[in-house]
Every structure is written in structure tokens, then in C-alpha cells.
Amino acid sequence: MQAELVQLRTEHTCYPLALFLSQGVLSNISSITDLGGFDPVWLFLVVGGVMFILGFAGCIGALRENTFLLKFFSVFLGIIFFLELTAGVLAFVFKDWIKDQLYFFINNNIRAYRDDIDLQNLIDFTQEYWQCCGAFGADDWNLNIYFNCTDSNASRERCGVPFSCCTKDPAEDVINTQCGYDARQKPEVDQQIVIYTKGCVPQFEKWLQDNLTIVAGIFIGIALLQIFGICLAQNLVSDIEAVRASW
């Protein structure tokens, strides 16, 4: 009876994860990236593990006055700080390469738009929030088998775009999910009335330029917190060693 109860609890605990995996949520993340078979989910696991180790070392080191853990905390945090600094410099130097990778990533998402509901919701949210359509324009939706304008495409969505590309009418209470049908068959002047014609990559660049002060302030704030943590850890180590030296 006890063994059956343990088995039942195990199955109940593992069920949400099994359901999550069976829906292909994790596998779809790697299918829309080009990282040589590397699954980005592992990146989240590594980041979570690093945060746990860093927090554990800092907390226990301060509570137990363990200089080894405190030195490990400060050195590890310093390494992370310099890695972030290096990543920022590289991002500025290779900004064109990053733009190309972002374009590639969005186009892969466009191809897989109908393959996963979570991915579909993510794309719709992005296009609605940035008021954009496609990576560099609405014609990027030709990459999707349901929206391309080829003669062999028998889909009703042929030469259209998702509803998230449509310009919003404040008077409409209900979203018209068919507003993008045949939108790209219209002249470009008429398209600008019905749908967003700007791509998400240029819109993202524009948002960064408009909010450069806020973005820079966030990164500077994070950097100052890390430097502050390193200084506190080193100061605590000095105090502990001074007390021990006086014994």
C-alpha cells in the first residue's frame, strides 16, 4: 500500500512536466534556432544553476562568516560582471551580425507559425506590441506555407497576414481574426491602411533609440549592484580576517 502511494505521488508530480514535454514546447524552441543542435532550454537551466550557486555562496558565507564562500562569491560575481561588459562591447561591434541573427530567428518563427500555439501567441504579441509585421516587412510572411502568394497555395489565408499585423480600430471591441485575409494583394498604399507594413527588426531598433536612456540606466543599475555586492563581500572578508588576526 505504501509503495503504491509513493508511486501515485511520483506520477502526480511528474505529470505536469510530462504534459509540458508531450506538447513539444521545449523541442519547438530548438527547432526555430540555429545553434548546432544546442537546445536553448539548457541555457536557462545553466543560468538558474549559476544564480542558485551564487546566492547560496553569498548567503551562507555571510551567515557563517566563511571567507572561502565570500571570496568565491565576489570572484564569481566579478567574472559575471566582466562577461557582461564583454558581451556589451561585442554586441556594439557586431551589431550588424546580431541584426542578421534576429532576422533569421524571426523568419524561422514565421515558418513555424502554425506549428505550435505558444509560438503563435508569442509572434502575435510581438507584432501587436511593436506594431510591426514580419522581420523587415509584411512580405516576409511568404515564408509561411499558409500565407505565401504562390499559385499552388490553396489556403484561404493565401497572400494574407496574421490578424496581429492588422491596424487596430479603437471602436472595435472584438478582434477580427480575418482582417489580414488578402491584405498583401492590395496596392502598397492601401496596405498601410489595413496592416502594419514596417518590420519588427526596424521597429525594435527604433524602440531602442527612443528608450536608450532607460535601457542604459537599467544596465548601469545592474552593474552598480554587482559592483556593490563585490565590495560588500570583500569588506566582510577583511573584517572577518581582522577579527581572527586579533585572537
Side-chain angles (χ1 to χ4, degrees):
M1 181 64 181
Q2 186 175 1
E4 294 177 356
L5 183 60
V6 172
Q7 182 179 2
L8 181 61
R9 289 178 178 175
T10 303
E11 292 176 353
H12 179 72
T13 303
C14 295
Y15 178 73
L17 179 59
L19 179 63
F20 192 66
L21 291 173
S22 66
Q23 291 178 341
V25 176
L26 299 181
S27 60
N28 285 332
I29 295 178
S30 59
S31 66
I32 58 177
T33 55
D34 184 28
L35 300 175
F38 174 74
D39 195 335
V41 172
W42 290 106
L43 179 61
F44 292 102
L45 293 175
V46 170
V47 171
V50 169
M51 291 177 63
F52 171 78
I53 295 173
L54 197 60
F56 177 84
C59 181
I60 301 300
L63 289 175
R64 305 298 298 177
E65 296 184 352
N66 189 311
T67 56
F68 173 78
L69 289 177
L70 288 172
K71 289 178 181 179
F72 173 81
F73 171 82
S74 60
V75 171
F76 204 1
L77 196 58
I79 293 174
I80 293 176
F81 172 76
F82 283 109
L83 287 176
E84 291 172 348
L85 186 62
T86 304
V89 173
L90 291 177
F92 178 78
V93 174
F94 298 101
K95 56 184 178 181
D96 292 335
W97 179 84
I98 294 176
K99 185 189 298 185
D100 293 339
Q101 293 302 309
L102 184 60
Y103 174 73
F104 177 83
F105 177 77
I106 294 176
N107 282 343
N108 272 359
N109 278 268
I110 289 175
R111 292 188 183 94
Y113 178 73
R114 295 295 189 195
D115 296 345
D116 182 79
I117 187 63
D118 297 319
L119 176 62
Q120 182 175 321
N121 291 334
L122 177 62
I123 295 174
D124 289 334
F125 171 79
T126 302
Q127 293 188 143
E128 288 178 344
Y129 183 80
W130 300 112
Q131 296 184 351
C132 58
C133 190
F136 282 97
D139 287 336
D140 289 332
W141 282 97
N142 278 325
L143 297 171
N144 188 276
I145 59 175
Y146 300 100
F147 295 99
N148 66 64
C149 294
T150 57
D151 296 332
S152 59
N153 184 10
S155 172
R156 179 60 188 87
E157 297 174 311
R158 176 181 175 273
C159 239
V161 291
F163 72 92
S164 54
C165 285
C166 297
T167 56
K168 300 299 180 291
D169 185 357
E172 290 184 354
D173 295 330
V174 180
I175 298 176
N176 180 13
T177 57
Q178 299 179 358
C179 60
Y181 285 8
D182 304 321
R184 289 187 292 119
Q185 290 182 340
K186 302 177 181 180
E188 186 175 352
V189 177
D190 295 334
Q191 286 185 24
Q192 295 177 357
I193 302 174
V194 182
I195 62 174
Y196 304 122
T197 56
K198 295 180 179 179
C200 292
V201 174
Q203 286 294 89
F204 177 68
E205 290 179 335
K206 181 179 180 297
W207 180 88
L208 280 179
Q209 292 175 357
D210 294 340
N211 299 274
L212 185 60
T213 304
I214 298 175
V215 174
I218 292 174
F219 281 102
I220 292 174
I222 294 174
L224 290 176
L225 285 175
Q226 291 175 332
I227 295 173
F228 184 65
I230 294 172
C231 293
L232 282 180
Q234 290 297 325
N235 186 56
L236 185 56
V237 169
S238 298
D239 292 340
I240 293 173
E241 290 178 346
V243 170
R244 290 178 178 175
S246 62
W247 290 352

